[in-house]
Amino acid sequence: MVEKQWIGHPCFDEKAKHTFSRVHLPVAPKCNIQCNFCDRQYDCVNESRPGVTSVILSPGQALVYFDKVMGRVPNISVMGIAGPGDPMANPVETLETLSLVRNKYPDILLCLATNGLMLPQYVDQLARLKTSHVTVTVNAVDPDIGSKIYAWVRDGKHILRGREAAELLLSRQIEGIKLLKSKGITVKINFILIPGINDKHGSEVAKMVRSLGADIFNCMPLIPASGSAFGELTPPSAEMVKTVRAMAGEHIAQMTHCARCRADAVGLIGQGLDELSLKDLKCCSKLPLHPRDSRPYVAVATLEGFLVNQHLGRAEEFYIYDKIDTGFELKGSRKSPPTGIGDERWKLMAEILNDCRVVLVSAAGGKPVEFLKKSGIEVIEMEGLIEQGLEHVFNGASLPGKRMIKGCSCGQGSQASSSSVATACASKSCGAGSGGCGGNGMGCL
Ligand code: SF4
Ligand code: SF4
């Protein structure tokens, strides 16, 4: 029998999958753990399939995009946040997006998928926003098995590894699931079936999560992502999946129609991203971070007016550009606020650039990036010609050279563009040893 609150949710109510659609809003690029089956160039494997990079939207851009999709795609019943990283590793963006959508669409079902590490501290807020469905990925309830699945877990500034990491993650998942159930939120458990690692463990996981009150269990066969630690593993056979589902099914209801949706999926389950939605997504990613702001210009930190080659913290002036029919027009330059005045500098900078949607720089520290972002200005780090940066911001062209990644523990990277998932951290200096980037130079998103 279908539970009342599942009706209309295509992932929880199998009958609804042919009638009701869902939209994923890709607002959560960062992650706080490293699963050995995940290559962070791609979407979170815990909820989606690997191999497709997504555009990232700010919450304001996401609402504009959602409005467009609601006007075009019939029968949307759910808005979900499923990455491409972990929604709770991006709590500000996630909660703001849920809130914007909830305020405008009081009847929409809100849903998200998380690894659970930061879940407990946000359950109250999720409940206040009337989030009705949460998916938690639990791949092991035995820390020894978990230690084979997770390379590291980042708790605040601490990087944990091995059994310690798996224990912490599991304890947060347990606490999070209990709290969700105490708020009456429907909980789905995703379980990535990894041959030779947790293929004998599905039943135990199912039993434990059911005892915590979870409602439904989704056994997902591993898709080995090349570049990940488990990239060379053989995916489980259909027989193995069937056996694990049957054993887990003795404890908890099974979901068998999961289509491993992308972090930017739209439409019925099984549908990815149609051409119109992709176009809308790209268009919205070019809007100002807060789309209602009037921000026509782009500021550039440059020494001579050809290259983007100044650090945000050292820039003495910014060149201001506009888009015109024939290309780009230099509107003039503006003096940067003086150095040595602490955070006041970033406040003044936000005021000086209050009609700019983006500032192009060669590098920037994390604090000013966050400060300017809150004021609606995106900081993009790049190397190359100013023209190439302007083409990127105004016309969506890809950027040459390195792109640093927000949250990178080595401290050299500081931001990911809201307009694209950064490809790879060019620096390997943090390494698994000190920064926990998995040792593959992929950064710490
Ligand atoms: Fe990748 Fe993080 Fe998702 Fe694990 S939780 S699959 S590391 S994005
Ligand atoms: Fe929610 Fe996952 Fe379904 Fe998306 S695919 S609507 S996140 S359960």
Side-chain angles (χ1 to χ4, degrees):
M1 198 181 75
V2 177
E3 303 263 346
K4 189 162 175 280
Q5 72 269 31
W6 297 8
I7 293 171
H9 193 309
C11 310
F12 288 74
D13 170 8
E14 192 163 0
K15 286 200 198 98
K17 74 175 180 176
H18 300 298
T19 348
F20 290 100
S21 302
R22 63 7 180 172
V23 183
H24 282 176
L25 297 182
V27 295
K30 291 179 280 181
C31 192
N32 44 18
I33 70 174
Q34 178 63 61
C35 303
N36 282 330
F37 45 75
C38 178
D39 178 343
R40 291 291 301 114
Q41 279 190 83
Y42 305 115
D43 289 348
C44 174
V45 188
N46 281 329
E47 181 65 17
S48 27
R49 69 190 162 85
V52 190
T53 50
S54 302
V55 160
I56 304 295
L57 301 178
S58 72
Q61 292 168 339
L63 183 65
V64 175
Y65 169 68
F66 190 63
D67 286 341
K68 284 178 188 277
V69 174
M70 285 296 274
R72 192 167 44 72
V73 179
N75 282 347
I76 289 185
S77 61
V78 188
M79 189 287 279
I81 300 180
D86 186 80
M88 299 288 75
N90 304 262
V92 174
E93 292 81 1
T94 295
L95 294 168
E96 192 181 339
T97 304
L98 292 170
S99 166
L100 288 170
V101 173
R102 171 54 75 229
N103 285 339
K104 193 152 182 195
Y105 299 92
D107 297 328
I108 200 96
L109 297 173
L110 296 182
C111 183
L112 62 85
T114 174
N115 61 40
L117 182 67
M118 298 308 288
L119 181 58
Q121 75 187 71
Y122 296 109
V123 169
D124 278 348
Q125 280 159 279
L126 293 175
R128 269 202 294 278
L129 291 165
K130 300 199 175 70
T131 308
S132 53
H133 298 76
V134 172
T135 297
V136 186
T137 299
V138 183
N139 297 314
V141 293
D142 174 343
D144 286 329
I145 296 176
S147 68
K148 295 180 191 157
I149 299 174
Y150 306 106
W152 51 260
V153 161
R154 182 166 50 216
D155 188 31
K157 292 191 171 161
H158 303 288
I159 304 279
L160 307 179
R161 296 168 199 279
R163 198 186 150 89
E164 206 188 358
E167 267 173 355
L168 177 74
L169 181 61
L170 178 61
S171 69
R172 298 275 177 82
Q173 290 169 337
I174 291 172
E175 191 187 347
I177 295 168
K178 281 187 190 163
L179 287 169
L180 289 169
K181 291 316 300 175
S182 73
K183 301 283 180 190
I185 295 172
T186 300
V187 175
K188 170 158 77 72
I189 302 298
N190 278 355
F191 172 79
I192 311 280
L193 175 58
I194 311 162
I197 305 284
N198 67 356
D199 53 311
K200 309 268 186 298
H201 193 46
S203 172
E204 217 177 314
V205 174
K207 191 173 171 192
M208 149 86 102
V209 295
R210 181 62 198 144
S211 75
L212 301 172
D215 299 275
I216 189 165
F217 191 87
N218 178 22
C219 171
M220 305 162 83
L222 170 79
I223 300 176
S226 74
S228 71
F230 289 165
E232 302 300 315
L233 290 187
T234 309
S237 64
E239 197 52 39
M240 183 187 277
V241 176
K242 206 170 144 196
T243 305
V244 173
R245 281 183 180 158
M247 290 174 74
E250 289 174 14
H251 304 289
I252 181 169
Q254 298 293 297
M255 174 183 184
T256 54
H257 63 287
C258 173
R260 313 201 70 161
C261 313
R262 295 163 51 125
D264 52 11
V266 180
L268 297 172
I269 284 204
Q271 287 177 339
L273 189 65
D274 61 280
E275 229 167 84
L276 273 178
S277 300
L278 180 60
K279 203 167 143 238
D280 285 344
L281 205 49
K282 286 190 172 160
C283 264
C284 290
S285 74
K286 302 288 159 244
L287 294 172
L289 292 178
H290 304 153
R292 284 197 191 88
D293 294 358
S294 171
R295 292 182 180 272
Y297 304 137
V298 170
V300 181
T302 175
L303 283 168
E304 73 306 277
F306 289 105
L307 295 167
V308 179
N309 53 10
Q310 274 284 67
H311 191 291
L312 181 68
R314 287 192 283 277
E316 290 177 8
E317 66 176 344
F318 295 101
Y319 282 36
I320 308 297
Y321 288 87
D322 192 8
K323 185 182 176 184
I324 55 171
D325 288 347
T326 49
F328 310 111
E329 183 180 56
L330 179 62
K331 305 291 292 181
S333 68
R334 294 179 194 165
K335 285 266 169 250
S336 183
T339 54
I341 53 172
D343 287 350
E344 188 62 15
R345 180 157 199 254
W346 314 123
K347 198 173 151 212
L348 290 173
M349 194 179 279
E351 282 168 18
I352 287 167
L353 303 179
N354 68 356
D355 51 1
C356 298
R357 66 179 69 173
V358 166
V359 54
L360 298 174
V361 298
S362 62
K367 198 171 176 188
V369 167
E370 280 307 311
F371 204 98
L372 292 178
K373 189 175 167 191
K374 277 191 196 133
S375 308
I377 304 167
E378 183 184 7
V379 180
I380 294 183
E381 294 177 335
M382 63 166 284
E383 286 176 343
L385 298 169
I386 292 173
E387 178 99 10
Q388 291 169 312
L390 297 175
E391 280 291 343
H392 173 70
V393 178
F394 287 120
N395 298 330
S398 57
L399 266 182
K402 73 177 178 184
R403 296 293 310 280
M404 289 299 191
I405 296 174
K406 185 172 183 175
C408 175
S409 300
C410 69
Q412 294 191 34
S414 60
Q415 73 101 41
S417 164
S418 73
S419 54
S420 66
V421 171
T423 49
C425 177
S427 167
K428 297 196 177 195
S429 62
C430 59
S434 61
C437 83
N440 57 8
M442 296 307 301
C444 309
L445 270 177

